[in-house]
Amino acid sequence: MARILVIGVGQIGSELGPALVEQGHEVVLADRLPPEETAGWDVLTKGMGEDGVRRRWHRLDVLDTPALTGLIREMRPDTTYHLAALLSATGEKDPDLCWRVNVETTRTVMSTLSKLGAATAPRLIVPSSIAAFGPLPGQTETPAVTPDLYPMLPTSMYGITKVVGELLGAYAAAKQGVDFRGLRFPGLLNTAPPGGGSSDFANLMYFAAAAGQREVEVFCRPDTTIPFMYMPDAIRAIIELAEAPAARLSRRTYNVAAMSPSAADIAAALAARVGPFDVRYVPDFRQAILDSWPRALDDAPARTDWGWQPRWDLAGMTDDLLAQLGWVPRA
Ligand code: SER
């Protein structure tokens, strides 16, 4: 049993928390909001019951540095998942806040962990993203299948903060005795609403279809193609990476991939199940962000080093997610 701190309980944390509790760990969930006001409340309570959520909940504004360092010093976690972040669309609306939340709190967590004087290097997992990549100068796209080692030239403030997080993590591992691990996630889908990402167009389509809507408007073109992953795969990936023996890791941050459907492919997968489903494509500022991202990630090092293997494809995810969202096929 490990002492595990999850900072930021949103779309990922609301499923990661119950999974870690299920494994028998001592888990503290820290978030700025009371649990019933978070997007993942339903997922959390389904996973560990209302009492289980409240018992483990710790109200924390990550920008309150004394509170953040105080919690870490008091708890002395073996493993910390730092998930508090502004995503790409919200980050573009307030780049300064995006930097403070995504970068400065990551620095604080790293330096606080490094000063705990723990016998074993405290483990720190911080997700990165497909948004860490961007086109080379003079080009408009990143390679169709982008490898781990490719120039990182993000165009969004969110992407910039993710690259900085990766670099700080490598530094903390080399110089500060923190066992940092990161993974570049695709757009993630589950029943919890995501918090202001550019990949949210896909989540919106699933939520609309499951609610019985016959049409939905999304903010991208139908040919928009980026990597996606179903949350059960993402939770397995982050836990597998956190638990992998250090000797197996050839780098600190890994690409992980599962599927790369276009927006039109997702619409077709939904229509095949729910019947006529009219998607109106009205691109906004998020289109440029989406266009700058890889269409697919090459995750060979994750597969080789720690055995990463996705289990969910578009068809399987569509069936399962519609059911999880309460969609009932018409008789
Ligand atoms: N889902 C994220 C976003 O859209 C990508 O990491 O910002």
Side-chain angles (χ1 to χ4, degrees):
M1 186 184 79
R3 269 194 318 281
I4 300 184
L5 172 60
V6 178
I7 304 171
V9 190
Q11 194 198 5
I12 300 175
S14 58
E15 294 220 13
L16 178 63
L20 295 169
V21 168
E22 173 81 23
Q23 286 188 326
H25 298 300
E26 179 191 328
V27 179
V28 170
L29 304 168
D31 197 272
R32 156 181 89 80
L33 295 172
E36 65 278 6
E37 285 178 29
T38 61
W41 172 243
D42 290 344
V43 180
L44 280 165
T45 49
K46 199 170 143 206
M48 59 172 97
E50 195 173 326
D51 282 354
V53 178
R54 294 196 190 283
R55 198 169 58 243
R56 297 179 177 89
W57 205 260
H58 185 100
R59 287 284 295 279
L60 171 78
D61 176 353
V62 283
L63 293 176
D64 180 343
T65 306
L68 177 57
T69 54
L71 174 62
I72 294 170
R73 283 199 201 112
E74 187 190 324
M75 186 184 164
R76 302 180 61 82
D78 306 305
T79 300
T80 302
Y81 291 87
H82 185 27
L83 311 177
L86 260 64
L87 295 185
S88 60
T90 324
E92 245 16 49
K93 291 194 173 141
D94 194 341
D96 294 340
L97 185 64
C98 184
W99 178 270
R100 288 171 62 213
V101 172
N102 296 16
V103 175
E104 289 176 10
T105 69
T106 301
R107 272 287 301 135
T108 303
V109 171
M110 284 171 184
S111 65
T112 312
L113 287 173
S114 76
K115 290 175 196 148
L116 286 180
T120 326
R123 207 157 276 189
L124 172 63
I125 293 91
V126 183
S128 183
S129 162
I130 44 175
F133 294 111
L136 296 183
Q139 298 186 6
T140 53
E141 295 181 353
T142 46
V145 183
T146 303
D148 265 312
L149 294 179
Y150 187 79
M152 308 194 84
L153 299 167
T155 57
S156 65
M157 178 53 84
Y158 171 71
I160 291 169
T161 67
K162 288 292 152 187
V163 174
V164 174
E166 291 186 23
L167 295 172
L168 288 173
Y171 180 83
K175 307 267 177 77
Q176 298 180 313
V178 176
D179 187 355
F180 174 87
R181 297 158 185 220
L183 67 183
R184 295 184 199 102
F185 272 139
L188 300 176
L189 291 134
N190 65 337
T191 59
S198 301
S199 57
D200 296 8
F201 69 86
N203 309 61
L204 293 176
M205 281 197 231
Y206 279 88
F207 296 156
Q213 285 176 229
R214 289 281 180 221
E215 57 170 39
V216 69
E217 182 177 305
V218 295
F219 51 78
C220 65
R221 292 188 314 268
D223 64 322
T224 305
T225 305
I226 60 161
F228 280 102
M229 184 179 282
Y230 193 29
M231 193 61 84
D233 267 347
I235 298 302
R236 200 164 45 76
I238 202 168
I239 292 177
E240 282 177 5
L241 176 61
E243 290 179 347
R248 297 275 306 270
L249 305 183
S250 61
R251 63 206 67 215
R252 288 284 157 189
T253 302
Y254 287 85
N255 285 354
V256 283
M259 61 185 98
S260 281
S262 67
D265 292 338
I266 295 172
L270 286 167
R273 286 152 182 90
V274 304
F277 185 59
D278 181 24
V279 181
R280 277 176 297 117
Y281 297 94
V282 186
D284 68 9
F285 73 100
R286 289 166 280 193
Q287 184 69 59
I289 299 175
L290 291 161
D291 287 342
S292 75
W293 292 350
R295 282 188 296 263
L297 291 178
D298 175 354
D299 60 0
R303 291 172 186 252
T304 308
D305 288 2
W306 44 279
W308 163 245
Q309 189 74 52
R311 291 188 189 149
W312 293 89
D313 61 10
L314 180 63
M317 175 180 77
T318 303
D319 288 336
D320 195 71
L321 184 50
L322 283 173
Q324 297 286 335
L325 286 165
W327 178 72
V328 184
R330 287 192 174 81

